[in-house]
Amino acid sequence: MCAAQSGWNRNIRFGIRIGIGIDTTADFGFDCESDPDTDAGPALPPEAFTGEDPIDKKKMPFIEWEACHLGFPGLTGIPIKQRGRSMKRTVLTIGVVCIMSLVLPPSRHAAEMGKFSYDDFSEPKQCGICHGDIYREWQQSLMSQAFTHPWDDVEYFKLALPHALKLEKVSEVKAGCIGCHAPVAFLAGDIPPQLPAAGTRANESVSCDICHGITGSTEEVPFNASYVINPGKVKYGSRKDSEPQFHQVEYSGYTGSPELCANCHDERSPFGAWVKETYREWKAGPYGKEGVRCQDCHMHYAPGKAAGMGKERPDIAHHVFHGPHFNQKLKGSVDLALYADSAEAKRGSKVVIRAVLHNGKAGHYVPSGSTEERMLWLEVEAVDGKGNAKRIPVDRKGFPGEEFTIADSQAFAYQAMGEIMEIPGYRGVSRDGRVPDGSRIFRRPYFDPEGRMTICQWYTAKNTDIDYRIGPRETKVETYTWTVPDAFPPQTATIKANLYFSLVPSSVGEFLKLPPDEYEARPVNSATLELNIK
């Protein structure tokens, strides 16, 4: 079995020379496809590898190794000895994976860091000369802000990067985050890139040449920047009859496929936890089975031209990529209705109210993506004729871990933030922020190695015990038992339900001094019900 079959990158070819003692050596070589004496890869500085990596020569002085070509994700370009010296070689057909695991750690970044230079990629503004409308749409999308967006900026430079420099277990996120948030910087080896304020090309975020340069993935089911990219004069697209003047075009079915999106929208932490699964959620759900693609919902198709001098077409893809950051996409994404067990109630009696929520529009769970920080919650209240409102807490269902899905102002979490930022005595912040006590929260909590709830997805050890989100075409029913106060006036009572979403818990946003629109409560839907109180 070629080692690539167990999750390693394809086309693996290299040799290892292990020195034992002073003069004795043992040579090992194994080859899936080609002769190591004929291939050599580019070099990266040794300081790119730190900590307990087996190739750290300070920690393992007896290992002298020679690499002809490393096809592993993110490891192409390990310092190598150049051609000119033959190596004894044994072709291994059994136990390759075992030997590889002893020699090199598995990398999670299939895109090859440092393989290219910035000059290999066109700047988006160059594309905008001909593709003006598409360029302006991209400029207003989150794709153009994946590196500069305030939360992404803070999360990387205040949390992920410092943590990667302190803790070897998560050291890969130093480059890994950039593989998707600033791919051109990653591919150019600009790791870590400078802050967005420096105005480097990392600020291009996910640019035109990235999506139109990707030709596939090293993984059967893509994740963690596993894309294969071929930048240059040839751009890849989903048209077979394009005739551009400035560059060449080659048809690629991959460009319009959900698998393209999966390269960055599915992610596994260094601890093996799946911390983003939007593609996998879609694939396992009804939309994936029906062939409704990510692009069908997040890119609009309408008549127009892809370029100023291009053909008029009935189905130009608009590069808006709307998602939960855009209120117009968020509103109405989950249906909401209210019902009561009776249209009338006496003072002092109990009324059972049912809130029915249906995800009929999203092809994945809601929330999806970075669900360690995203929250969807339902607030229910009874309002009298004078406008006085009384919160009604959700009835408990009794499932394991339910306490994490009901807002509690006394619950604290996210302690790892303070440890990373070296704040003495840090006890965390409010787990649920400003969400009113008793509200039902539709979330998937993530837990760090110490069992504490975390927003640091790279520090997530477990997140499978509790998942109370709403799946595609799933309906959830929540009940609220309201005891009508004896003092309630004999009139009509209005039951109001409001469904909200936030990108980040308000407590985290305030602690990290994010702009308020990063953690504000965004309306998703609302419903009302009137009861006659006697």
Side-chain angles (χ1 to χ4, degrees):
M1 178 184 72
C2 177
Q5 291 178 264
S6 67
W8 295 73
N9 196 6
R10 286 105 179 119
N11 303 326
I12 300 167
R13 309 176 292 279
F14 61 94
I16 305 296
R17 186 170 188 267
I18 302 179
I20 305 173
I22 298 175
D23 297 317
T24 306
T25 64
D27 291 320
F28 298 86
F30 38 97
D31 190 348
C32 286
E33 289 196 7
S34 70
D35 190 338
D37 291 333
T38 62
D39 290 322
L44 283 180
E47 57 268 23
F49 303 94
T50 58
E52 297 179 1
D53 192 320
I55 60 174
D56 188 328
K57 294 185 179 181
K58 293 181 181 178
K59 294 202 172 189
M60 296 190 70
F62 293 106
I63 292 184
E64 179 186 356
W65 51 278
E66 301 179 44
C68 316
H69 175 76
L70 295 177
F72 295 110
L75 289 182
T76 291
I78 291 175
I80 63 172
K81 292 189 175 182
Q82 299 298 322
R83 302 185 185 115
R85 181 184 176 281
S86 295
M87 175 189 294
K88 297 176 184 178
R89 186 180 65 176
T90 302
V91 177
L92 304 183
T93 57
I94 300 175
V96 169
V97 175
C98 298
I99 294 176
M100 287 165 59
S101 65
L102 292 173
V103 177
L104 289 172
S107 170
R108 303 176 194 277
H109 314 302
E112 297 174 288
M113 182 178 71
K115 180 178 181 180
F116 304 99
S117 71
Y118 278 124
D119 291 340
D120 290 318
F121 298 89
S122 300
E123 295 185 45
K125 63 184 178 182
Q126 290 179 279
C127 306
I129 294 172
C130 294
H131 304 279
D133 288 341
I134 288 175
Y135 171 68
R136 283 183 286 274
E137 290 171 352
W138 170 84
Q139 278 187 308
Q140 297 172 56
S141 76
L142 263 292
M143 289 291 190
S144 73
Q145 304 168 47
F147 180 70
T148 61
H149 183 250
W151 171 228
D152 295 308
D153 174 6
V154 168
E155 186 177 28
Y156 180 71
F157 286 102
K158 283 193 175 181
L159 296 174
L161 179 59
H163 206 189
L165 297 175
K166 293 175 184 178
L167 183 63
E168 173 63 22
K169 180 69 175 178
V170 301
S171 60
E172 65 188 60
V173 303
K174 173 184 175 182
C177 295
I178 304 306
C180 281
H181 285 269
V184 174
F186 175 83
L187 295 164
D190 186 8
I191 302 296
Q194 297 182 61
L195 287 158
T200 70
R201 288 197 64 185
N203 287 11
E204 293 173 10
S205 301
V206 183
S207 60
C208 317
D209 258 11
I210 298 301
C211 293
H212 290 280
I214 291 176
T215 59
S217 170
T218 59
E219 301 293 331
E220 183 177 352
V221 182
F223 71 102
N224 282 38
S226 62
Y227 50 83
V228 174
I229 192 165
N230 184 31
K233 274 287 186 181
V234 177
K235 314 299 178 185
Y236 299 89
S238 54
R239 305 279 185 190
K240 295 182 179 180
D241 60 345
S242 298
E243 298 177 353
Q245 298 180 6
F246 180 72
H247 57 75
Q248 302 171 48
V249 169
E250 185 174 315
Y251 169 78
S252 173
Y254 200 80
T255 305
S257 72
E259 286 69 32
L260 175 72
C261 310
N263 284 289
C264 284
H265 287 274
D266 278 23
E267 181 181 343
R268 192 167 63 190
S269 81
F271 296 87
W274 286 101
V275 292
K276 289 192 184 78
E277 294 186 272
T278 303
Y279 169 85
R280 284 160 170 79
E281 293 167 8
W282 165 84
K283 186 73 173 177
Y287 292 80
K289 292 176 172 60
E290 294 165 8
V292 180
R293 307 168 303 157
C294 314
Q295 293 88 339
D296 295 329
C297 293
H298 295 279
M299 299 178 75
H300 304 143
Y301 292 82
K305 295 181 178 182
M309 295 180 289
K311 298 178 181 179
E312 186 74 30
R313 299 182 185 274
D315 56 348
I316 292 297
H318 290 266
H319 292 53
V320 291
F321 308 108
H322 281 176
H325 294 78
F326 296 87
N327 290 339
Q328 63 269 35
K329 187 73 170 181
L330 190 62
K331 287 181 179 178
S333 56
V334 176
D335 297 328
L336 174 62
L338 285 178
Y339 304 92
D341 60 354
S342 175
E344 296 182 342
K346 294 182 179 180
R347 286 173 288 178
S349 67
K350 291 183 178 181
V351 180
V352 177
I353 300 151
R354 289 182 298 129
V356 180
L357 303 96
H358 177 67
N359 174 9
K361 298 181 177 70
H364 46 70
Y365 279 76
V366 177
S368 188
S370 299
T371 52
E372 77 283 1
E373 62 206 31
R374 295 178 177 176
M375 294 195 303
L376 179 76
W377 72 92
L378 183 64
E379 302 177 12
V380 177
E381 60 184 10
V383 184
D384 66 19
K386 295 181 179 180
N388 300 310
K390 175 68 175 179
R391 299 278 182 195
I392 307 175
V394 68
D395 294 339
R396 292 180 177 268
K397 294 183 175 180
F399 57 85
E402 185 177 16
E403 64 272 19
F404 291 96
T405 73
I406 298 177
D408 180 358
S409 57
Q410 301 303 308
F412 280 72
Y414 320 126
Q415 290 83 0
M417 287 194 304
E419 294 170 2
I420 296 168
M421 299 172 72
E422 299 182 346
I423 301 173
Y426 183 76
R427 59 189 290 259
V429 296
S430 172
R431 184 190 71 193
D432 307 320
R434 298 199 206 114
V435 179
D437 283 357
S439 299
R440 174 67 82 190
I441 302 176
F442 303 90
R443 61 158 43 134
R444 181 187 185 185
Y446 290 10
F447 299 93
D448 66 22
E450 296 185 33
R452 305 169 303 181
M453 196 165 163
T454 185
I455 57 145
C456 302
Q457 60 183 243
W458 62 91
Y459 198 42
T460 299
K462 196 169 186 179
N463 62 350
T464 55
D465 288 346
I466 309 154
D467 189 349
Y468 200 72
R469 298 174 297 155
I470 310 175
R473 295 184 186 159
E474 180 186 4
T475 299
K476 286 193 181 294
V477 178
E478 306 297 331
T479 62
Y480 296 78
T481 302
W482 179 46
T483 301
V484 183
D486 291 333
F488 199 95
Q491 57 187 224
T492 299
T494 302
I495 307 299
K496 292 184 177 180
N498 290 293
L499 187 64
Y500 294 102
F501 173 84
S502 71
L503 295 162
V504 180
S506 58
S507 54
V508 173
E510 290 165 353
F511 171 73
L512 294 173
K513 297 180 171 57
L514 297 176
D517 63 355
E518 288 291 306
Y519 54 85
E520 67 183 357
R522 303 182 179 211
V524 176
N525 217 327
S526 62
T528 59
L529 174 70
E530 292 188 346
L531 297 175
N532 186 21
I533 306 300
K534 296 183 178 181

